[in-house]
Amino acid sequence: MNLLSQYETPAKPEITANGPRTRVIVADDHPVILLGARHALARFPDIEVVGEARQSTELVRALTNAPCDVLVTDLAMPGGLHGDGLPLIGYVRRHFPALPIVVLTMLENPALIRRLGEMGVTAVVSKSDDLAHIGLAVRYVMCGVPYAGPSVRAAHEALGKGAPAKPADKLLSRREIEVVRLYVSGMTMKEIAARLNRSIKTISTHKIAALRKLGLERDSELFQYAQSAGLMNLSSPSY
């Protein structure tokens, strides 16, 4: 599923004021964001927040104990038993396959958004936008319509206007993911080369390729991507 292409011209769902309210659980490790999300959703009379969580352990417990219709969750929530980032999204999709998910993130990277779409996420909202977009996203997914906040759509549009030499929406290969994961864990190129029994040149090539595919230019952006994508929490696969 290519969410980005669907996000270009999102159709407006039909919203009715009648019927039961949509039950939502909100998860974010920042209390200010949780409070802001709750206040933003309170402006929608057809939506009710039935639970909150600050990490994956609390989230899974809330999903198990409090029936809900939509999950609104941050990607980067370290500290829980079920990880965060993409591994957490995968866990939720496996154990609650019918539950629509609205992802909150500070990273509007097209590669990450595409991967979320492939995992079944149909709505992405940036924390840099007005939090009212969370409520709009909830309404959209309840109608089966994909939704992206303004910053997410702008990032995709900017990518489309850029040079084709930066295919940022391509997924990383298994080897590129492993190099990125080890690099953001604090290892040097030399240490990664020794760990994976490859030359420093080969490791550097994988890192450069990852930056190019993700449309990133600086290491700081790579660290941000790795945190939001959950690469810091993956176990090391065989190379």
Side-chain angles (χ1 to χ4, degrees):
M1 180 180 185
N2 189 344
L3 279 176
L4 289 173
S5 62
Q6 295 193 41
Y7 284 158
E8 293 177 6
T9 54
K12 290 185 178 180
E14 302 217 353
I15 306 298
T16 60
N18 301 324
R21 291 197 289 176
T22 299
R23 299 165 297 181
V24 176
I25 288 178
V26 182
D28 196 289
D29 63 332
H30 294 94
V32 173
I33 297 295
L34 275 178
L35 180 61
R38 177 179 282 278
H39 284 175
L41 290 172
R43 296 162 55 186
F44 294 79
D46 54 322
I47 297 175
E48 176 186 10
V49 177
V50 297
E52 295 180 352
R54 296 187 182 182
Q55 34 91 328
S56 63
T57 305
E58 294 180 2
L59 172 57
V60 172
R61 185 183 302 121
L63 291 174
T64 302
N65 297 332
C68 75
D69 303 302
V70 178
L71 167 63
V72 176
T73 182
D74 186 13
L75 274 183
M77 295 190 301
L81 294 176
H82 307 286
D84 66 345
L86 297 182
L88 174 59
I89 297 299
Y91 182 93
V92 173
R93 295 297 299 158
R94 289 192 303 273
H95 291 82
F96 306 91
L99 181 66
I101 300 175
V102 176
V103 165
L104 291 176
T105 180
M106 285 299 296
L107 193 65
E108 301 100 28
N109 187 281
L112 175 60
I113 297 170
R114 174 173 177 171
R115 182 67 183 121
L116 288 170
E118 292 178 343
M119 297 176 74
V121 174
T122 56
V124 181
V125 175
S126 172
K127 293 182 182 180
S128 63
D129 290 327
D130 190 320
L131 291 183
H133 286 280
I134 299 175
L136 294 175
V138 169
R139 284 180 168 180
Y140 270 64
V141 298
M142 282 297 292
C143 294
V145 180
Y147 184 86
S151 293
V152 176
R153 291 198 299 271
H156 177 50
E157 291 168 2
L159 175 66
K161 296 175 183 178
K166 286 189 175 183
D169 62 338
K170 289 186 177 179
L171 296 179
L172 303 184
S173 69
R174 182 174 61 88
R175 294 190 175 187
E176 289 161 356
I177 289 175
E178 177 67 348
V179 169
V180 169
R181 190 189 70 80
L182 293 176
Y183 183 72
V184 299
S185 73
M187 296 179 66
T188 65
M189 292 288 100
K190 182 178 180 179
E191 290 170 337
I192 297 173
R195 169 79 171 268
L196 302 179
N197 194 28
R198 294 292 188 275
S199 69
I200 296 178
K201 182 178 179 180
T202 297
I203 298 304
S204 178
T205 298
H206 287 320
K207 180 192 170 190
I208 293 172
L211 287 168
R212 185 184 69 250
K213 288 182 179 181
L214 295 172
L216 306 178
E217 297 180 357
R218 295 178 293 274
D219 284 354
S220 60
E221 295 175 330
L222 188 60
F223 277 90
Q224 184 185 27
Y225 171 83
Q227 182 180 20
S228 293
L231 295 182
M232 292 182 174
N233 303 300
L234 296 176
S235 58
S236 177
S238 58
Y239 195 50

